[in-house]
Amino acid sequence: MSRAGWLNAALAVIVVALGAFFYFRPAQDAAIEYPLSALKPQEATSLRIERAGAAPILLDKKQDAWFISAPFAARADASRVQQLLAIVEARAAHRLPAGDRGRFGLEPPQARIIVDGQPFSFGMVSDITREQYVMSGDAVYAVHARYGAALPESAIQMASRQLFGADEAPARIAHRDFAVEQRDGRWTLAPGTGDLSQDDFIRWVDEWRLAAALRVEPHVKGIPLSEVQVQLKSGGKFTLSVLAREPELVLARSDEKLQYRFRAETGKRLLSPPGTK
């Protein structure tokens, strides 16, 4: 081989070696991220939310569903709970000693949540990075402001807007003038009028079962316009008081201290017999 050939071969070996070096070497400049905790959202069973001047909000997980236990008892909004629990898996690019808490707006904190006994305290939002300081353990972390934005102003914001729970399936819905009931696997209407298919019944019952309110409010006592008796397939029973039909349908469950507001057109479908045009 000529001298030029040997030179080219040597250069090729050097290029391959350098390429292998840069490809397989550890990433020296990889960004370091610090986890705020070792908790997992799916494993959490208790949640406490604290804000200055407000009563603590307590939530507990029972059979894969979250419930508010204080300051009132109600089913919790699962999506809101998951937004709050996201903080346990948050990671930050900066971890700072928590000695001088005042400069982070953490003395006292703006809010605090406690997940299975581990507290996460929320401080000020940085004017420069727009990240929020959160203290976990003996350190302060700068995290995205969305974690603090998920904190509710009041307990009512954590209540589920679903009229029925995920495990609640109606077997009988009785209005003042008619009742829809499932017997031997088939839906029936009493008094029976019209020619309705089982699909008609299923659509009507599902509209009740999946009804999601525009908003939920603390129950205000009043004389109901009418009542709807609900019997569940599990054997449970409750009464829905119709507090208003216009400009919105307002329903109150007898087993909850809450009232649910729906659009008026939704109310017309719920309060009319199946198949009504």
Side-chain angles (χ1 to χ4, degrees):
M1 182 182 294
S2 66
R3 182 178 179 182
W6 282 110
L7 182 58
N8 290 334
L11 288 173
V13 171
I14 293 173
V15 169
V16 171
L18 287 173
F21 171 76
F22 285 109
Y23 182 81
F24 290 106
R25 72 170 182 170
Q28 300 294 327
D29 300 328
I32 298 176
E33 292 187 327
Y34 300 97
L36 272 65
S37 79
L39 298 176
K40 301 294 182 183
Q42 64 271 22
E43 297 175 358
T45 58
S46 68
L47 179 60
R48 179 185 176 98
I49 308 166
E50 300 175 350
R51 279 189 181 274
I57 305 171
L58 306 181
L59 299 99
D60 297 290
K61 190 177 183 180
K62 303 173 184 177
Q63 297 179 347
D64 296 328
W66 283 91
F67 295 86
I68 301 172
S69 56
F72 54 81
R75 291 169 289 113
D77 185 321
S79 62
R80 291 297 300 264
V81 173
Q82 293 308 312
Q83 289 173 5
L84 287 174
L85 291 177
I87 189 65
V88 307
E89 286 189 317
R91 291 178 174 271
H94 305 287
R95 182 177 62 190
L96 307 167
D100 186 5
R101 301 180 186 181
R103 71 188 183 102
F104 301 116
L106 288 163
E107 198 169 329
Q110 297 179 4
R112 184 170 73 155
I113 65 173
I114 303 173
V115 182
D116 287 352
Q118 181 167 341
F120 298 83
S121 300
F122 290 77
M124 64 183 291
V125 175
S126 169
D127 291 333
I128 299 174
T129 66
R130 304 311 300 167
E131 293 177 311
Q132 187 166 19
Y133 295 112
V134 176
M135 186 173 71
S136 175
D138 59 355
V140 175
Y141 304 82
V143 300
H144 196 286
R146 68 174 178 272
Y147 298 106
L151 291 164
E153 293 289 341
S154 64
I156 200 67
Q157 293 178 322
M158 293 301 300
S160 173
R161 294 186 297 111
Q162 298 294 139
L163 187 59
F164 285 76
D167 60 343
E168 294 180 330
R172 187 173 190 270
I173 302 175
H175 292 249
R176 180 172 52 193
D177 302 322
F178 68 93
V180 173
E181 183 176 5
Q182 191 174 43
R183 296 180 181 178
D184 299 325
R186 291 184 60 82
W187 290 100
T188 62
L189 174 65
T193 58
D195 184 16
L196 296 173
S197 68
Q198 286 299 295
D199 287 341
D200 292 329
F201 283 111
I202 291 172
R203 281 192 293 269
W204 186 85
V205 173
D206 277 350
E207 184 143 24
W208 272 101
R209 182 176 63 86
L210 302 174
L214 297 171
R215 58 189 179 278
V216 182
E217 304 166 339
H219 178 43
V220 178
K221 290 185 177 180
I223 300 175
L225 302 177
S226 61
E227 292 183 338
V228 179
Q229 305 297 328
V230 177
Q231 181 175 335
L232 303 175
K233 291 182 179 180
S234 63
K237 297 180 180 179
F238 59 84
T239 299
L240 290 170
S241 297
V242 181
L243 303 179
R245 294 173 182 261
E246 297 287 348
E248 295 175 329
L249 171 68
V250 183
L251 299 175
R253 281 184 57 152
S254 59
D255 57 342
E256 298 177 341
K257 296 181 180 181
L258 300 174
Q259 59 189 40
Y260 301 79
R261 288 185 173 270
F262 300 87
R263 291 187 176 88
E265 55 266 30
T266 300
K268 292 176 181 178
R269 293 193 301 270
L270 295 177
L271 300 181
S272 300
T276 302
K277 303 298 183 181

